Amino acid sequence: MPNSAAPVIVHCSLSNSDLTNRLQQKGHRIRYGTGTTEGSLIFPNGGPVFIVQQLTKTIQNWPPDSEAVVDRDLLARLIKAKQVHATLYLVTVSPLLGLNELKVISLLQEMLPDLKILPTKDGRECADAVCNIVKVREPETRQIIEQRMEMSVEELKKSVFQDVVNSLPFQQSVKDELSNKFSSVAGLIQANEESLSGMDNSENVLEFFTEDKVTV
């Protein structure tokens, strides 16, 4: 649950909506403002800023045609917000995501290539998506993600190493010894007389490695 002491500054145009109700359910304190960008959600401490807009209102006329034009007011708000905030998301809300909706999202992306667009189906999903993005960007969460990625990489290295050992033309007992002596593919391919000392059939193993028969 988000830190209840950290309020979200919400533009008054989003008051009494499913979005703000959901944010409150998730523990956020809402502070409404009239001086912020219309449709915006601003999180504290330099967090991302979100502008929420009904997808049907992102263009001048709905449904879109070959001459569809992005709503000028929305475009101005987005350009201004991008100049002020380092990380900006446009969160579109639409119960459907069909051909017309995809055309409009594509048009928005063409107009503002660097803009992050997040399609959602309703206010509840919008709030959930926004909170997930904010959570992932928190230092504590990022540290956990980095740690898990490091663990995953290490597990992958171990798996690849074991696959290489298992592919070698030795008896299982010799493979087990190699697994115990070495911890990586890089160490294995540099095997020499000293590192293989004490192993069963060490001469045959050494001959295999010195004849460049290991391909990685």
Side-chain angles (χ1 to χ4, degrees):
M1 178 177 291
N3 185 354
S4 59
V8 183
I9 302 173
V10 179
H11 188 265
C12 59
S13 60
L14 299 174
S15 62
N16 299 319
S17 63
D18 290 341
L19 167 60
T20 52
N21 290 338
R22 179 62 173 168
L23 287 174
Q24 290 174 322
Q25 289 175 5
K26 295 176 77 68
H28 286 288
R29 290 188 295 134
I30 306 297
R31 294 291 180 268
Y32 291 107
T34 57
T36 56
T37 301
E38 181 182 344
S40 64
L41 303 171
I42 301 176
F43 286 80
N45 302 322
V49 173
F50 303 86
I51 293 180
V52 180
Q53 184 78 20
Q54 291 291 330
L55 189 59
T56 56
K57 295 182 179 179
T58 59
I59 60 174
Q60 292 183 359
N61 296 295
W62 190 273
D65 54 27
S66 59
E67 298 180 355
V69 178
V70 175
D71 180 77
R72 285 178 293 181
D73 176 64
L74 172 63
L75 189 59
R77 282 187 283 141
L78 291 172
I79 292 174
K80 182 178 180 180
K82 280 177 62 67
Q83 294 172 344
V84 176
H85 303 288
T87 305
L88 175 68
Y89 289 84
L90 171 63
V91 186
T92 61
V93 181
S94 174
L96 300 176
L97 192 59
L99 183 59
N100 284 335
E101 289 75 18
L102 292 174
K103 284 181 180 178
V104 173
I105 291 174
S106 177
L107 176 62
L108 290 165
Q109 201 69 80
E110 289 176 9
M111 293 291 294
L112 296 169
D114 297 332
L115 179 65
K116 300 176 178 64
I117 301 177
L118 183 63
T120 63
K121 66 181 181 181
D122 54 32
R124 183 181 182 87
E125 184 174 276
C126 174
D128 290 345
V130 164
C131 289
N132 286 338
I133 291 173
V134 172
K135 184 66 177 176
V136 168
R137 292 176 62 88
E138 291 178 351
E140 297 82 0
T141 305
R142 293 170 77 172
Q143 183 178 12
I144 292 173
I145 293 174
E146 290 172 0
Q147 290 173 345
R148 290 180 178 176
M149 288 180 65
E150 290 175 0
M151 292 173 61
S152 297
V153 169
E154 289 303 316
E155 288 299 321
L156 179 60
K157 287 180 179 179
K158 290 179 182 179
S159 177
V160 170
F161 169 68
Q162 197 58 54
D163 288 343
V164 171
V165 171
N166 290 336
S167 69
L168 298 175
F170 303 131
Q171 295 181 351
Q172 187 59 49
S173 59
V174 176
K175 294 179 183 180
D176 292 341
E177 284 190 86
L178 288 171
S179 295
N180 292 331
K181 276 184 170 292
F182 302 97
S183 59
S184 68
V185 175
L188 183 63
I189 62 179
Q190 294 176 9
N192 55 34
E193 184 175 0
E194 180 179 356
S195 62
L196 294 172
S197 63
M199 282 188 60
D200 293 337
N201 300 317
S202 60
E203 293 183 359
N204 292 336
V205 176
L206 179 62
E207 180 182 359
F208 176 85
F209 284 111
T210 55
E211 289 183 359
D212 296 327
K213 292 183 180 179
V214 176
T215 302
V216 179

